[in-house]
């Protein structure tokens, strides 16, 4: 197992310092995420969860330490390489909404065009596929405002799945949803995870983390620590 | 609820094409108007310079062949404006007729003779219209045998020339300031317009769109908008020119169709180029920004 260690990881972080506007928010960060693993990332607001995720998808500059995401070395990553890295990841982010001026299928087709898809028939097939997967097979021609919050979040997840990412990075994906809907969305994440996509989910939803005994990382006092026992949360 | 709404309302945050084209049009229109003014004054100053004349008086008792020789010498001289009818003869008889017709005084009656001389009216090339050069020209002309004297208004020349230089410099200075103002104005308009698009640009980046893919539609659109604004400005300017020609006679001599075509073409180019590069720079800025900076 040790020999194939690094090929098993979709995210590898060693001795990393995470900055936010020239201020280090997390230091000496060490963790890995394996292929197909589900990992919670918890901690207070402002504790550096979002900054860590942003650094992982190369939105914040990474200066100190080692970070390998989906086979890309984040330190010194060339600007032209950033889009290629992001195509390997599915980013689910509160500020990253659907375009309100076009339908669900136009939203998804647009993303496919932006990421280099050319053939129309393939795009249509993939569109139907991801929408079926998130349970929204009939929502193609709807405008985002005609969908409920939970349905919109499903479309956002469908969008993240378009390019068959090796990992989903989700920042508070259930933040704005009521408990019942948020539970459904979470189940969807579990399903996606079961089919082999690694998921790193930042959340402060205590109930959710308590109810699902999964691997949990906690950002606290400028450190990222593995949480062994749920009681200490 | 059953029927899907097809109409797309203009959403807050969509690209404000109309205001972009409108502001670009206004900026280009003012620029074009000034350029037109500049052209007019340039052509006017050329017209003034080309109309500067000197009188070359001939000796009274020269033969016809001598006179023709003088005309040839004058016509082939460098200081004469290279244009038709630059050297025109007014014979003493026609000058006398004109004088009598204008004043009503018949000097034949009390002089018994015509005291006037044959005179060549010579248009001087603009290059020679300085006092120093004119002095040389005068010497040269007066050394031609059969020439009595050359006459011209000395101070007028230098005052016309210094005025033309001063005015031209001032106008060119204004034109440069105006051009800069127009570029800054269009650039700011585009920046503001793209500000409303920053989250769209952001979203495209997050899904992994390459910078070129994000930029392309914006650049096409800015290029097209610039051309459109230039074209509208040209249409307005053209109607102003037409109106000007109908109320101010003589203005048509100062403007020719090629110059107007070049002016309109330049407006289209300035619009398209400034639009293109303004967009390029603005997008580059947004592409570099991280999310926190966008808010």
């Amino acid at each position: 197992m040790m020999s194939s260690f690094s090929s098993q990881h979709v995210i590898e972080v060693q001795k990393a310092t995470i900055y936010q506007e020239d201020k280090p928010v997390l230091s000496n960060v060490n963790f890995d995420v394996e292929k197909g693993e589900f990992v919670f990332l918890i901690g207070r607001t402002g504790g550096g969860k979002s900054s860590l995720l942003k650094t992982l998808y190369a939105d914040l500059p990474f200066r100190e330490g080692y970070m390998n995401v989906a086979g890309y070395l984040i330190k010194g990553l060339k600007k032209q390489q950033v889009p290629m890295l992001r195509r390997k990841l599915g980013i689910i982010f509160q500020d990253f909404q659907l375009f309100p001026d076009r339908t669900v299928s136009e939203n998804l087709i647009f993303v496919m065009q932006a990421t280099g898809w050319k053939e129309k028939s393939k795009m249509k097939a993939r569109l139907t596929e991801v929408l079926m997967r998130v349970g929204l097979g009939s929502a193609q021609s709807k405008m985002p405002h005609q969908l409920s919050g939970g349905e919109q979040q499903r479309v956002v997840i469908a969008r993240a799945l378009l390019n068959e990412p090796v990992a989903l990075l989700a920042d508070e994906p259930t933040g704005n949803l009521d408990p019942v809907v948020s539970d459904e969305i979470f189940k969807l994440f579990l399903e996606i995870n079961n089919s082999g996509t690694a998921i790193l989910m930042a959340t402060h939803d205590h109930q959710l983390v308590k109810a699902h005994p999964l691997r949990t990382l906690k950002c606290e006092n400028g450190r990222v620590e593995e949480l062994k026992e749920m009681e200490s949360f | 609820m059953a029927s899907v709404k097809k109409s797309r309302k203009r959403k807050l945050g969509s690209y404000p094409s109309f205001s972009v084209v409108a502001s670009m049009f206004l900026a280009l229109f003012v620029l074009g108007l000034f350029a037109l003014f500049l052209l007019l004054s340039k052509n006017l100053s050329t017209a003034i310079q080309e109309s500067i004349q000197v009188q070359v008086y001939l000796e009274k008792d020269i033969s016809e062949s001598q006179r023709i020789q003088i005309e040839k010498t004058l016509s082939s001289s460098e200081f004469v404006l290279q244009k038709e009818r630059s050297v025109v003869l007014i014979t003493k008889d026609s000058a006398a007729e004109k004088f009598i017709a204008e004043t009503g005084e018949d000097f034949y009656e009390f002089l018994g003779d015509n005291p006037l001389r044959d005179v060549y009216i010579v248009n001087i090339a603009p290059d020679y219209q300085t006092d120093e050069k004119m002095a040389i020209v005068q010497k040269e002309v007066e050394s031609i045998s059969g020439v009595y004297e050359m006459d011209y208004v000395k101070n007028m020349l230098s005052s016309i020339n210094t005025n033309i230089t001063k005015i031209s410099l001032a106008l060119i200075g204004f034109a440069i300031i105006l051009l800069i103002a127009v570029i800054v104005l269009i650039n700011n308009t585009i920046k503001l317009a793209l500000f409303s698009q920053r989250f769209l640009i952001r979203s495209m980046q997050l899904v992994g769109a390459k910078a070129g893919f994000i930029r392309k539609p914006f650049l096409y659109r800015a290029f097209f908008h610039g051309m459109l604004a230039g074209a509208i400005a040209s249409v307005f300017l053209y109607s102003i020119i037409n109106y000007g020609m109908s109320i101010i006679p003589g203005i048509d001599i100062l403007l020719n169709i090629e110059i107007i075509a070049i002016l309109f073409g330049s407006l289209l180019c300035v619009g398209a180029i400034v639009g293109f590069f303004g967009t390029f720079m603005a997008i580059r800025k947004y592409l570099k920004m991280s999310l926190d900076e966008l808010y």
Side-chain angles (χ1 to χ4, degrees):
Chain A
M1 188 182 149
M2 287 301 284
S3 60
S4 60
F5 199 60
S6 86
S7 67
Q8 285 294 317
H9 292 90
V10 286
I11 299 173
E12 253 188 295
V13 184
Q14 283 161 18
K15 291 182 184 161
T17 307
I18 305 299
Y19 282 88
Q20 192 179 30
E21 287 185 14
D22 300 323
K23 270 200 323 245
V25 282
L26 296 169
S27 57
N28 197 17
V29 179
N30 296 285
F31 72 92
D32 304 317
V33 176
E34 276 178 47
K35 240 177 208 170
E37 205 179 3
F38 196 123
V39 181
F40 278 126
L41 185 63
I42 60 169
R44 283 211 185 85
T45 311
K49 283 179 295 175
S50 294
S51 298
L52 176 57
L53 289 181
K54 283 177 188 168
T55 312
L56 287 174
Y57 61 78
D59 192 29
L60 287 178
F62 180 59
R63 304 187 191 104
E64 286 166 44
Y66 173 84
M67 190 180 271
N68 187 329
V69 180
Y72 289 88
L73 287 175
I74 303 303
K75 191 152 76 180
L77 189 67
K78 291 217 170 70
K79 247 198 286 175
Q80 298 94 305
Q81 288 293 312
V82 172
M84 308 324 280
L85 162 73
R86 290 180 184 166
R87 289 177 195 186
K88 292 257 186 169
L89 302 171
I91 299 167
I92 295 160
F93 204 64
Q94 276 185 349
D95 299 296
F96 179 23
Q97 297 299 321
L98 298 168
F99 301 129
D101 61 341
R102 54 195 94 185
T103 65
V104 168
S105 62
E106 283 167 335
N107 259 288
L108 298 183
I109 297 264
F110 177 79
V111 169
M112 286 192 262
Q113 285 171 336
T115 49
W117 291 62
K118 296 273 188 282
E119 274 177 66
K120 265 200 172 163
S121 56
K122 277 192 184 168
M123 283 160 76
K124 279 225 167 118
R126 184 72 187 145
L127 169 74
T128 319
E129 204 181 321
V130 291
L131 281 177
M132 293 292 281
R133 220 167 140 195
V134 299
L136 278 177
S138 59
Q140 286 199 20
S141 58
K142 290 209 172 136
M143 302 293 282
H145 65 87
Q146 294 173 307
L147 301 172
S148 70
E151 286 170 324
Q152 285 186 25
Q153 192 65 327
R154 281 169 192 271
V155 179
V156 170
I157 295 168
R159 178 176 64 185
L161 291 175
L162 281 171
N163 288 310
E164 298 175 8
V166 292
L168 288 186
L169 304 179
D171 193 1
E172 308 281 359
T174 58
N176 297 327
L177 305 170
D178 64 62
V180 178
V181 179
S182 109
D183 217 45
E184 285 171 10
I185 296 292
F186 188 73
K187 276 190 190 129
L188 178 59
F189 273 108
L190 285 177
E191 274 171 45
I192 291 164
N193 180 238
N194 279 337
S195 59
T197 309
I199 294 177
L200 179 59
M201 181 187 288
T203 183
H204 54 230
D205 189 339
H206 293 204
Q207 306 300 339
L208 202 67
V209 180
K210 265 186 188 157
H212 299 90
L214 294 159
R215 190 180 158 208
T216 304
L217 300 170
K218 186 172 190 182
C219 298
E220 201 175 42
N221 303 325
R223 307 245 165 227
V224 177
E225 274 160 38
E226 198 92 23
L227 221 65
K228 294 281 178 344
E229 292 164 37
M230 279 297 122
E231 288 89 318
S232 59
F233 175 55
Chain B
M1 209 34 216
S3 66
V4 176
K5 262 191 233 162
K6 273 285 168 202
S7 70
R8 278 179 206 167
K9 278 182 205 159
R10 200 184 170 277
K11 286 270 189 302
L12 197 74
S14 63
Y15 190 78
S17 299
F18 178 79
S19 44
V20 168
V21 176
S23 347
M24 282 176 109
F25 151 67
L26 281 176
L28 291 174
F29 177 68
V30 172
L31 187 67
L33 208 58
F34 192 76
L36 203 61
F37 179 61
L38 211 62
L39 282 176
L40 274 177
S41 56
K42 170 79 181 78
N43 291 349
L44 188 65
S45 72
T46 313
I48 289 173
Q49 283 181 326
E50 288 184 351
S51 68
I52 285 179
Q53 298 169 328
V54 298
Q55 291 87 38
V56 177
Y57 294 97
L58 305 185
E59 297 285 2
K60 282 193 170 178
D61 50 356
I62 56 169
S63 65
E64 182 68 11
S65 63
Q66 223 179 335
R67 192 186 60 72
I68 289 168
Q69 189 57 44
I70 291 169
E71 182 170 335
K72 272 187 187 160
T73 315
L74 284 176
S75 296
S76 60
S77 298
E78 265 181 39
F79 56 80
V80 172
L81 184 71
Q82 297 304 309
K83 228 178 177 183
E84 276 189 46
R85 295 185 52 79
S86 294
V87 178
V88 177
L89 173 73
I90 296 173
T91 59
K92 56 185 178 188
D93 299 331
S94 65
E97 268 172 41
K98 208 177 159 199
F99 184 84
I100 292 165
E102 274 173 14
T103 60
E105 275 181 60
D106 191 350
F107 47 75
Y108 284 107
E109 277 178 13
F110 51 87
L111 284 178
D113 190 17
N114 183 355
L116 300 175
R117 294 165 184 277
D118 288 339
V119 62
Y120 274 112
I121 307 293
V122 178
N123 285 41
I124 297 295
D127 284 352
Y128 285 83
Q129 292 175 4
T130 63
D131 286 335
E132 301 85 58
K133 284 191 175 167
M134 283 308 286
I136 299 167
V137 169
Q138 186 170 28
K139 260 189 195 155
E140 203 179 316
V141 171
E142 287 177 354
S143 70
I144 302 171
S145 76
V147 170
Y148 172 68
E149 73 168 349
M150 184 183 118
D151 196 17
Y152 68 100
V153 187
K154 274 187 183 129
N155 293 328
M156 190 181 78
L157 263 184
S158 56
S159 76
I160 285 177
N161 277 320
T162 49
N163 280 337
I164 284 177
T165 318
K166 270 186 204 161
I167 292 170
S168 311
L169 277 178
L171 287 183
I172 288 169
F174 271 129
I176 290 170
I177 291 170
L178 194 66
L179 187 68
I180 293 170
V182 163
I183 289 173
V184 170
L185 206 68
I186 293 178
N187 206 23
N188 277 339
T189 309
I190 286 172
K191 254 193 219 159
L192 279 178
L194 281 174
F195 186 69
S196 68
Q197 302 293 293
R198 67 200 188 285
F199 287 108
L200 177 76
I201 294 172
R202 175 73 196 165
S203 296
M204 291 203 254
Q205 277 187 303
L206 283 186
V207 298
K210 290 182 186 166
F213 179 88
I214 300 171
R215 226 183 267 135
K216 215 195 292 172
F218 287 108
L219 292 179
Y220 277 144
R221 181 162 54 188
F223 192 83
F224 170 72
H225 281 169
M227 297 253 281
L228 183 66
I232 300 172
S234 299
V235 169
F236 272 71
L237 285 173
Y238 187 73
S239 36
I240 284 182
I241 292 169
N242 267 346
Y243 180 67
M245 280 179 175
S246 70
I247 56 167
I248 310 168
I251 210 168
D252 46 336
I253 307 162
L254 297 175
L255 286 172
N256 61 48
I257 196 78
E258 288 119 61
I259 292 211
I260 292 173
I262 290 171
L263 171 66
F264 290 174
S266 315
L267 283 184
L268 257 69
C269 287
V270 168
I273 290 170
V274 176
F276 189 87
F277 282 105
T279 305
F280 191 87
M281 302 302 279
I283 297 233
R284 204 175 64 156
K285 199 179 89 185
Y286 291 126
L287 283 177
K288 276 187 180 170
M289 278 187 174
S290 75
L291 182 71
D292 298 328
E293 294 168 312
L294 284 183
Y295 279 102

